[in-house]
Amino acid sequence: MASEKPQVMVTCTAPVNIAVIKYWGKRDEALILPINSSLSVTLHQDQLKTTTTAAISKDFTEDRIWLNGREEDVRQPRLQACLREIRRLAQKQRTAGDGDALPLSLSYKVHVASVNNFPTAAGLASSAAGYACLAYTLAQVYGVEGDLSEVARRGSGSACRSLYGGFVEWQMGKQADGTDSIAQQVAPEWHWPQLRVLVLVVSAEKKLTGSTVGMQTSVETSALLKFRAEAVVPARMTEMTRYIKERDFHGFAQLTMKDSNQFHATCLDTFPPISYLNDTSRRIIQLVHRFNAHHGQTKVAYTFDAGPNAVIFTLDDTVAEFVAAVRHSFPPTANGDKFLKGLQVIPSLLSDELKAALAMEPTPGGVQYIIATQVGPGPQVLDDPHVHLLGPDGLPQRVA
């Protein structure tokens, strides 16, 4: 246990991002370099975020990390890659004479505590938020400046997209060393104020096939994945960027759904096949298409990452009606008052015509709850010392 207060302690938060053009498959496992570029939407931290505190002290005898209150093995390779990379950059900056003012030794050990305010490993991009937050917090502690894409990417590929708010592209890059495989903002968080996001939590269970293993198998066995990466994604990246810049919801929504469907098709084309969607996921897809057909236009879009939970994109004037449609199709079995979390949504009544158009036998409890959110900013430094997850002794003091 530390005998004195840590020399430096910093707490930061980082957001979840949801890809609308999916990343699946690596060309380099060690450096985590993707076989195709991807594009994502950063969700607001008021609803979904990782909070991380990092501290360094001359009294710490080893690097240690706690995740959601439980100590994890700090020797985990991706964790080590992030730590190594940050320390390397800090050393490089010092040697260049940029960091002379830093009153700390790079040999000091670090303690890290991290918590998510949403289910972990359930296909809600927890590793992206977690590693983005780790990279950003460590950079503050060690005084590292500049782009952190490489550091975050070493932890989890899509984490580099969580380093920015708004709409973000991760360029696959061409270089073997990955120096050009970086994230860049396409449009800031305030660019499309009407856009809303609904996370339909179908299951908070840990998924059976982890993303890392799933991707590896897909790269080795799926011909469709190779075709997708080479022939489909480049044009879709250009298209999606245009739809976002022009705030063209119809184009954005249709392409988001098509890309999600194709990603899951590559999972089925993997051998043995991988299925991240369950029956409720498929019913949500059906609900969205029937809702849109009833309105005669695309008012709602779904996307699914490597898990059964749906992320829905819509505009602010459609939220209330779609939430009512979800509640009608998947009535809550308990805690009906807690069914909707996040942004306030004034419930709307469903018309008999829409109920008839949905033509779905209700599945009680199929959707556990909905998180209503919007596009949000990138990582933040929290200045209030009361929010630190580590105490003065460098050990966890609370679980947020």
Side-chain angles (χ1 to χ4, degrees), residues 20 39-41 166-168 186-188 191-192 195 237-249 251-252:
V20 288
L39 208 154
S40 64
V41 180
F167 304 84
V168 185
V186 168
H191 169 70
W192 200 344
L195 195 64
M237 288 292 292
T238 306
E239 242 180 297
M240 187 61 91
T241 302
R242 190 177 80 247
Y243 292 143
I244 289 167
K245 288 187 170 167
E246 293 174 359
R247 294 189 283 272
D248 174 349
F249 185 75
F252 170 82

Side-chain angles (χ1 to χ4, degrees), residues 81 89 129 151 224 248 253 266 305 330 353 360 363 395:
L89 291 169
V151 186
L224 178 56
D248 174 349
T266 66
D305 275 352
F330 306 98
E353 292 81 21
M360 290 177 75
T363 312
L395 298 174

Side-chain angles (χ1 to χ4, degrees), residues 124-136:
L124 283 178
S126 56
S127 59
Y131 277 107
C133 207
L134 178 69
Y136 193 79

Side-chain angles (χ1 to χ4, degrees), residues 223-337:
L224 178 56
L225 182 69
K226 188 175 179 344
F227 173 76
R228 167 182 160 74
E230 293 170 4
V232 180
V233 171
R236 283 189 172 177
M237 288 292 292
T238 306
E239 242 180 297
M240 187 61 91
T241 302
R242 190 177 80 247
Y243 292 143
I244 289 167
K245 288 187 170 167
E246 293 174 359
R247 294 189 283 272
D248 174 349
F249 185 75
H250 175 81
F252 170 82
Q254 294 238 330
L255 189 52
T256 293
M257 291 188 281
K258 286 175 181 174
D259 203 73
S260 175
N261 294 343
Q262 192 180 72
F263 155 54
H264 288 281
T266 66
C267 290
L268 283 178
D269 188 50
T270 298
F271 196 80
I274 306 164
S275 185
Y276 287 114
L277 305 181
N278 63 17
D279 287 345
T280 304
S281 314
R282 286 183 277 273
R283 288 175 75 86
I284 292 167
I285 290 172
Q286 202 175 39
L287 169 68
V288 167
H289 286 297
R290 287 179 181 178
F291 185 93
N292 288 337
H294 169 74
H295 284 287
Q297 58 176 299
T298 306
K299 291 178 80 80
V300 183
Y302 55 77
T303 188
F304 293 82
D305 275 352
N309 301 309
V311 177
I312 302 290
F313 291 100
T314 188
L315 298 178
D316 52 2
D317 60 4
T318 308
V319 172
E321 188 184 27
F322 188 73
V323 165
V326 173
R327 192 184 262 273
H328 167 76
S329 306
F330 306 98
T333 48
N335 297 335
D337 54 330

Side-chain angles (χ1 to χ4, degrees), residues 48-363:
L48 295 144
K49 69 179 174 194
T50 296
T51 304
T52 299
T53 298
I56 53 173
S57 168
K58 63 179 179 4
D59 296 310
F60 294 165
T61 54
E62 58 182 343
D63 294 330
R64 296 177 74 184
I65 187 162
W66 292 265
L67 179 58
N68 292 321
R70 247 184 54 195
E71 185 157 17
E72 302 285 338
D73 185 359
V74 79
R75 292 166 304 180
Q76 206 256 354
R78 292 187 171 195
L79 214 51
Q80 283 298 316
C82 285
L83 275 169
R84 255 198 326 273
E85 192 61 20
I86 278 286
R87 285 167 170 156
R88 183 186 72 77
L89 291 169
Q91 183 70 56
K92 188 176 161 190
Q93 240 167 255
R94 278 215 183 169
T95 311
D98 299 339
D100 293 342
L102 291 178
L104 56 91
S105 166
L106 282 173
S107 62
Y108 289 172
K109 300 298 182 187
V110 67
H111 284 190
V112 177
S114 193
V115 295
N116 295 328
N117 68 348
F118 57 92
T120 302
L124 283 178
S126 56
S127 59
Y131 277 107
C133 207
L134 178 69
Y136 193 79
T137 311
L138 289 174
Q140 307 296 320
V141 165
Y142 285 105
V144 171
E145 291 165 5
D147 182 60
L148 298 171
S149 288
E150 193 139 356
V151 186
R153 200 191 68 224
R154 292 291 190 92
S156 168
S158 48
C160 65
R161 297 190 311 241
S162 276
L163 291 170
Y164 297 93
F167 304 84
V168 185
E169 100 174 277
W170 173 17
Q171 297 167 347
M172 62 180 283
K174 297 274 194 291
Q175 304 292 336
D177 63 359
T179 46
D180 58 346
S181 183
I182 56 169
Q184 287 190 324
Q185 192 181 64
V186 168
E189 59 267 26
W190 58 83
H191 169 70
W192 200 344
Q194 300 83 11
L195 195 64
R196 294 289 177 273
V197 187
L198 299 168
V199 181
L200 275 49
V201 178
V202 170
S203 168
E205 297 293 305
K206 194 169 176 173
K207 57 202 179 202
L208 293 174
T209 308
S211 302
T212 305
V213 174
M215 276 186 212
Q216 231 165 337
T217 316
S218 293
V219 167
E220 287 161 12
T221 63
S222 171
L224 178 56
L225 182 69
K226 188 175 179 344
F227 173 76
R228 167 182 160 74
E230 293 170 4
V232 180
V233 171
R236 283 189 172 177
M237 288 292 292
T238 306
E239 242 180 297
M240 187 61 91
T241 302
R242 190 177 80 247
Y243 292 143
I244 289 167
K245 288 187 170 167
E246 293 174 359
R247 294 189 283 272
D248 174 349
F249 185 75
H250 175 81
F252 170 82
Q254 294 238 330
L255 189 52
T256 293
M257 291 188 281
K258 286 175 181 174
D259 203 73
S260 175
N261 294 343
Q262 192 180 72
F263 155 54
H264 288 281
T266 66
C267 290
L268 283 178
D269 188 50
T270 298
F271 196 80
I274 306 164
S275 185
Y276 287 114
L277 305 181
N278 63 17
D279 287 345
T280 304
S281 314
R282 286 183 277 273
R283 288 175 75 86
I284 292 167
I285 290 172
Q286 202 175 39
L287 169 68
V288 167
H289 286 297
R290 287 179 181 178
F291 185 93
N292 288 337
H294 169 74
H295 284 287
Q297 58 176 299
T298 306
K299 291 178 80 80
V300 183
Y302 55 77
T303 188
F304 293 82
D305 275 352
N309 301 309
V311 177
I312 302 290
F313 291 100
T314 188
L315 298 178
D316 52 2
D317 60 4
T318 308
V319 172
E321 188 184 27
F322 188 73
V323 165
V326 173
R327 192 184 262 273
H328 167 76
S329 306
F330 306 98
T333 48
N335 297 335
D337 54 330
K338 297 200 180 87
F339 186 62
L340 187 66
K341 305 168 189 275
L343 296 177
Q344 199 179 359
V345 177
I346 308 299
S348 96
L349 288 171
L350 277 195
S351 68
D352 290 338
E353 292 81 21
L354 180 51
K355 281 183 192 171
L358 295 179
M360 290 177 75
E361 193 62 42
T363 312

